[in-house]
Amino acid sequence: GAVVSQHPSRVICKSGTSVKIECRSLDFQATTMFWYRQFPKKSLMLMATSNEGSKATYEQGVEKDKFLINHASLTLSTLTVTSAHPEDSSFYICSARGGLGVWDTQYFGPGTRLTVL
Amino acid sequence: AQKVTQAQTEISVVEKEDVTLDCVYETRDTTYYLFWYKQPPSGELVFLIRRNSFDEQNEISGRYSWNFQKSTSSFNFTITASQVVDSAVYFCALSVPPNAGNNRKLIWGLGTSLAVNP
């Protein structure tokens, strides 16, 4: 149980284009989903937290207009990197937390490696 | 302030050796959770264990064991008889009550990169 999928696993795009990444909880309902960014050999940096049906809460320094997050259902959240630039190249990871218990464990997707040319 | 420190950046061992990964945390909250995650080269974070602040019992799962000591604010992770497949980055994380209405976040250590050589 507690499987989270992410799609695509890898994407290469041209500078200026937008890229959408999907995160799905496959066998549980995720009341909260999180989006992280990870640079090579670094720890995870939380970008935003999203609750189903409401606006995402962004961490300080993360541009909400640049990184659009939608959590339309209890099993799907999307991250859209708008007008991507080479500095947006990174490993993006989502996680999902199920249930009403706020102490519930976060389960992670396999990540999406974004390369912007 | 909350903080997680994993002082060991990289560890290299030979197969079958035992290895302990250290994790020291800081928080003023009395209720919190501690986690360990494994990130193999494929990149996917794998949940290993969750421990709440009121449960100081040590836990063993196969070759893995965890030693939680509130007195020293540590939650160390030991792999017994390490194997090449244990090579990964291991993250320790702390979950504390939310404040100002935000969701409970995980506070991450910087990770320890473990290389198990044949």
Side-chain angles (χ1 to χ4, degrees):
Chain A
V3 179
V4 177
S5 72
Q6 226 176 298
H7 179 80
S9 58
R10 191 179 293 268
V11 59
I12 300 173
C13 69
K14 290 183 180 178
S15 188
T17 60
S18 293
V19 174
K20 180 186 280 190
I21 303 169
E22 290 188 351
C23 177
R24 293 181 187 270
S25 55
L26 298 185
D27 52 2
F28 67 101
Q29 293 188 322
T31 51
T32 307
M33 284 185 169
F34 302 82
W35 286 95
Y36 293 85
R37 184 172 179 176
Q38 186 179 33
F39 292 100
K41 302 201 175 190
K42 296 290 184 185
S43 190
L44 283 80
M45 182 190 82
L46 180 65
M47 299 174 66
T49 304
S50 74
N51 290 301
E52 183 264 339
S54 59
K55 286 185 180 179
T57 302
Y58 290 81
E59 295 299 300
Q60 199 170 9
V62 178
E63 299 174 60
K64 58 181 68 175
D65 295 329
K66 173 88 177 159
F67 299 99
L68 300 179
I69 291 170
N70 183 277
H71 192 162
S73 77
L74 285 172
T75 59
L76 173 65
S77 176
T78 60
L79 166 68
T80 302
V81 183
T82 61
S83 187
H85 287 95
E87 58 266 27
D88 299 323
S89 298
S90 192
F91 191 54
Y92 292 89
I93 312 172
C94 74
S95 71
R97 187 176 69 200
L100 296 176
V102 291
W103 294 113
D104 287 349
T105 299
Q106 288 185 35
Y107 293 95
F108 286 81
T112 296
R113 193 162 302 282
L114 170 64
T115 303
V116 184
L117 302 175
Chain B
Q2 295 95 14
K3 187 179 177 182
V4 174
T5 302
Q6 293 180 257
Q8 304 147 309
T9 308
E10 295 181 357
I11 300 176
S12 181
V13 299
V14 176
E15 219 174 4
K16 297 184 183 175
E17 281 185 37
D18 298 347
V19 58
T20 295
L21 309 182
D22 298 332
C23 173
V24 174
Y25 63 93
E26 294 176 33
T27 180
R28 291 183 178 177
D29 296 289
T30 55
T31 301
Y32 52 88
Y33 275 78
L34 294 160
F35 299 80
W36 275 95
Y37 286 88
K38 173 183 179 180
Q39 188 176 36
S42 61
E44 181 170 358
L45 280 139
V46 177
F47 165 71
L48 296 178
I49 190 171
R50 180 180 79 161
R51 171 68 72 221
N52 76 56
S53 53
F54 298 107
D55 181 2
E56 285 194 73
Q57 265 195 330
N58 291 330
E59 179 149 344
I60 298 175
S61 175
R63 295 183 298 107
Y64 295 170
S65 63
W66 290 269
N67 183 359
F68 177 32
Q69 292 198 344
K70 286 179 77 170
S71 60
T72 55
S73 297
S74 64
F75 186 42
N76 297 337
F77 172 33
T78 297
I79 302 175
T80 303
S82 59
Q83 300 176 1
V84 173
V85 292
D86 296 327
S87 297
V89 179
Y90 291 86
F91 290 98
C92 180
L94 167 69
S95 180
V96 296
N99 54 50
N102 66 347
N103 284 282
R104 185 171 286 101
K105 301 187 289 190
L106 284 177
I107 297 157
W108 295 86
L110 295 180
T112 296
S113 178
L114 173 65
V116 181
N117 302 297

